[in-house]
Amino acid sequence: MGELTETGVVDTVGKELFIGGKWVPSSTGRTFAVEDPATGQVLCEVADASPEDGKAALDAAVAAQADWAKTPPRERSEILRRAYELLNARADELALLMTLEMGKPLAEAKGEVAYAGEFFRWFSEEAVRIDGGYQVAPNGAGRFLVTKQPVGPCLLITPWNFPMAMGGRKIGPAIAAGCTMVIKPAEQTPLSMLALAAILTEAGLPAGVLNVVTTSDPGGVMEPMIKDGRARKLSFTGSTAVGRKLLEQCADKVLRTSMELGGNAPFLVFDDADLDAAVEGAMQAKMRNIGEACTAANRFYVQRGVADEFARRLTERMSALPLGRGTEPGVVVGPLIDNDAVAKVTELVADATQRGAKVLTGGATVDGPGNFYQATVLTDVPRDARMASEEIFGPVAPISVFDDEDEAVAAANDTEYGLVSYVYTNDLKRALRVSESLEAGMIGLNQGIVSNPAAPFGGVKQSGLGREGGTVGIDEFLETKYIAVSL
């Protein structure tokens, strides 16, 4: 598209609702502002959907379901493959768009575009591998046929922190399985999803298969669609508190649900660990997406023998991170998403220091425009500090010390959440013991990043239900049907 400009990239994106293959304004004519979190300035206005618009989007998805379910798997596969190629071809402009509305540095945004594309590539391959079964009945008098069919129209809700990747993680398997959908992106970051809708249309996705509603009233728009009864599945990524409310709403119509909810990830470093690798992994697990990730390391537990050296090395790395607007060269720490996020991090750090924690670096907001908070390392963080039980969702690494393996595992599991845990040790037996003992859906063993489209992503306890990605990701969008055959 020639030389990229911020205004030019924003101008290329549709600002209306995408319903039935058409761009349409809100039925009320209302819009809401999308802001740059680095400056506080308005990037643009987008359509503000009403409950009536939500119903129209669901109408379109329902109308398209039967024909889409009959579409050959290879055709669905090739649409996803073309979308993957288009994402890669436009990575620079999509990354700039994401940085403008979400704040993450350009290099990281470009990585997310590639990550989103990988979901399309992975599920393009899974679309043609939906299998079934043939079995002789135990008494020999009949046969069992087992087939899998699309669950039907789906409602998808994505978060602001990974506005394109979370769309890809949900849209990819829905398309591959033969499901139509209505997707509601977070109101803070709708532009990436609107751009994704245009790319999928260009890739050949039929009208009505994907419908996008942007709204400043998520509850008011989504609840009527959930209670309508025609949608058959809800997939949500977001907070546990909102997830609980959605589960209550889904129960009335017995909707299938996939829930990727909050996290409180422990990061365990044993005294036999490779400290260079542990610090590098800590930087990845903590600072990916400025710490605004459900998989972010939230609690660092370090064995006493290496605690001081680990803290020193981590502080050295964190204090050197360039902070600024994500469009600026070399920036690693961009802004948090909004003022509320800055206030939450500020409160958590203040609470920890009041309870005796020491600030080794950072620990403060940044003067000037934008929602910035310094990269921060705390030591001597007590177990009763709020950040030991609440997601920080910011660039703060709190370190506590442990003495033995049992103590470390007990501390790690002392949470209602169970999304991911990180373990650093060079003792194979300990690695297996601890990994099996940790109450989490994913374990990062000597690595600081666990997310991969080819692997099952999800948690236990109050971190969610179901799995996204991997060979099981498409099953969340399929119903198993058994056919009894008499011979």
Side-chain angles (χ1 to χ4, degrees), residues 364-411:
T365 57
V366 178
D367 292 336
N371 309 314
F372 292 96
Y373 197 91
Q374 297 172 345
T376 300
V377 178
L378 306 177
T379 57
D380 301 331
V381 179
R383 302 280 169 86
D384 63 351
R386 283 178 54 192
M387 63 175 59
S389 59
E390 299 180 33
E391 276 192 288
I392 300 169
F393 245 59
V396 179
I399 300 174
S400 301
V401 175
F402 70 87
D403 288 303
D404 59 47
E405 184 179 310
D406 289 342
E407 180 189 358
V409 171

Side-chain angles (χ1 to χ4, degrees), residues 114-194:
Y115 181 43
E118 285 299 322
F119 283 107
F120 288 168
R121 178 159 70 161
W122 174 262
F123 286 109
S124 74
E125 297 160 345
E126 291 296 291
V128 295
R129 291 174 175 81
I130 299 171
D131 58 12
Y134 178 90
Q135 180 183 341
V136 177
N139 64 5
R143 301 293 182 267
F144 302 158
L145 299 182
V146 178
T147 185
K148 294 179 181 178
Q149 297 179 328
V151 67
C154 300
L155 305 177
L156 312 177
I157 304 175
T158 56
W160 52 261
N161 55 342
F162 292 95
M164 190 161 288
M166 297 304 95
R169 184 186 274 171
K170 298 180 189 301
I171 293 169
I175 288 175
C179 297
T180 61
M181 68 212 84
V182 178
I183 189 163
K184 186 209 74 66
E187 55 268 36
Q188 298 95 329
T189 57
L191 302 180
S192 292
M193 182 58 64
L194 294 169

Side-chain angles (χ1 to χ4, degrees), residues 12-95:
T12 62
V13 181
K15 311 299 189 304
E16 296 181 306
L17 310 176
F18 189 67
I19 298 176
K22 297 178 180 179
W23 297 97
V24 296
S26 165
S27 58
T28 64
R30 295 196 185 99
T31 61
F32 65 93
V34 181
E35 295 183 356
D36 181 343
T39 65
Q41 296 180 350
V42 173
L43 294 170
C44 63
E45 299 272 339
V46 299
D48 194 357
S50 66
E52 290 73 22
D53 296 318
K55 181 180 182 300
L58 182 57
D59 289 344
V62 171
Q65 179 59 57
D67 286 343
W68 180 239
K70 295 174 186 176
T71 302
R74 179 62 69 192
E75 291 186 24
R76 302 198 297 264
S77 170
E78 289 175 352
I79 290 171
L80 285 169
R81 181 70 191 199
R82 287 193 292 270
Y84 158 74
E85 292 168 350
L86 286 168
L87 277 176
N88 284 337
R90 297 173 189 169
D92 289 338
E93 61 195 81
L94 293 170

Side-chain angles (χ1 to χ4, degrees), residues 308-487:
D308 288 345
E309 180 62 14
F310 177 85
R312 184 190 69 78
R313 295 191 194 186
L314 185 62
T315 298
E316 185 178 281
R317 291 284 300 274
M318 292 280 277
S319 62
L321 296 177
L323 180 148
R325 192 168 184 237
T327 53
E328 298 170 3
V331 164
V332 175
V333 184
L336 300 184
I337 190 64
D338 54 29
N339 289 329
D340 289 344
V342 176
K344 172 73 177 296
V345 173
T346 301
E347 287 178 12
L348 292 177
V349 171
D351 171 78
T353 55
Q354 288 166 9
R355 296 174 190 269
K358 299 174 183 176
V359 179
L360 297 188
T361 188
T365 57
V366 178
D367 292 336
N371 309 314
F372 292 96
Y373 197 91
Q374 297 172 345
T376 300
V377 178
L378 306 177
T379 57
D380 301 331
V381 179
R383 302 280 169 86
D384 63 351
R386 283 178 54 192
M387 63 175 59
S389 59
E390 299 180 33
E391 276 192 288
I392 300 169
F393 245 59
V396 179
I399 300 174
S400 301
V401 175
F402 70 87
D403 288 303
D404 59 47
E405 184 179 310
D406 289 342
E407 180 189 358
V409 171
N413 288 339
D414 186 20
T415 174
E416 65 184 3
Y417 301 103
L419 186 61
V420 59
S421 297
Y422 302 94
V423 181
Y424 275 78
T425 176
N426 279 331
D427 183 327
L428 178 59
K429 292 181 180 179
R430 170 180 280 163
L432 293 175
R433 282 195 309 268
V434 173
S435 294
E436 291 179 1
S437 299
L438 290 171
E439 297 169 352
M442 300 175 288
I443 306 293
L445 181 56
N446 293 325
Q447 67 178 63
I449 294 179
V450 297
S451 304
N452 192 302
F457 187 103
V460 299
K461 299 197 287 191
Q462 296 198 40
S463 284
L465 301 167
R467 293 295 183 270
E468 295 182 307
T471 56
V472 299
I474 197 170
D475 289 337
E476 299 284 347
F477 292 85
L478 294 168
E479 293 285 12
T480 299
K481 178 180 286 187
Y482 151 58
I483 303 169
V485 181
S486 176
L487 296 184

Side-chain angles (χ1 to χ4, degrees), residues 49-314:
S50 66
E52 290 73 22
D53 296 318
K55 181 180 182 300
L58 182 57
D59 289 344
V62 171
Q65 179 59 57
D67 286 343
W68 180 239
K70 295 174 186 176
T71 302
R74 179 62 69 192
E75 291 186 24
R76 302 198 297 264
S77 170
E78 289 175 352
I79 290 171
L80 285 169
R81 181 70 191 199
R82 287 193 292 270
Y84 158 74
E85 292 168 350
L86 286 168
L87 277 176
N88 284 337
R90 297 173 189 169
D92 289 338
E93 61 195 81
L94 293 170
L96 178 56
L97 182 70
M98 190 187 307
T99 292
L100 292 175
E101 67 172 345
M102 187 268 152
K104 68 182 67 180
L106 272 173
E108 196 164 353
K110 192 169 182 178
E112 183 180 333
V113 174
Y115 181 43
E118 285 299 322
F119 283 107
F120 288 168
R121 178 159 70 161
W122 174 262
F123 286 109
S124 74
E125 297 160 345
E126 291 296 291
V128 295
R129 291 174 175 81
I130 299 171
D131 58 12
Y134 178 90
Q135 180 183 341
V136 177
N139 64 5
R143 301 293 182 267
F144 302 158
L145 299 182
V146 178
T147 185
K148 294 179 181 178
Q149 297 179 328
V151 67
C154 300
L155 305 177
L156 312 177
I157 304 175
T158 56
W160 52 261
N161 55 342
F162 292 95
M164 190 161 288
M166 297 304 95
R169 184 186 274 171
K170 298 180 189 301
I171 293 169
I175 288 175
C179 297
T180 61
M181 68 212 84
V182 178
I183 189 163
K184 186 209 74 66
E187 55 268 36
Q188 298 95 329
T189 57
L191 302 180
S192 292
M193 182 58 64
L194 294 169
L196 197 54
I199 282 175
L200 283 161
T201 300
E202 186 177 344
L205 193 67
V209 175
L210 172 67
N211 305 276
V212 182
V213 290
T214 54
T215 180
S216 64
D217 181 20
V221 171
M222 293 306 299
E223 185 173 1
M225 283 194 278
I226 292 170
K227 294 186 174 180
D228 180 284
R230 291 179 295 165
R232 297 311 313 143
K233 176 181 173 63
L234 171 72
S235 178
F236 169 74
T237 297
S239 72
T240 296
V242 174
R244 292 190 192 107
K245 293 179 182 178
L246 292 171
L247 284 169
E248 291 176 1
Q249 295 171 11
C250 289
D252 183 57
K253 298 299 181 181
V254 196
L255 264 66
R256 285 186 62 172
T257 58
S258 298
M259 294 276 161
E260 196 264 282
L261 306 177
N264 187 12
F267 191 103
L268 277 55
V269 181
F270 289 90
D271 55 13
D272 59 7
D274 178 334
L275 271 194
D276 288 336
V279 171
E280 182 61 33
M283 294 298 297
Q284 294 172 335
K286 177 72 263 182
M287 294 306 295
R288 183 187 182 206
N289 211 54
I290 325 164
E292 295 176 312
C294 54
T295 56
N298 208 59
R299 300 169 289 150
F300 288 83
Y301 297 120
V302 186
Q303 200 158 14
R304 192 172 301 278
V306 294
D308 288 345
E309 180 62 14
F310 177 85
R312 184 190 69 78
R313 295 191 194 186
L314 185 62

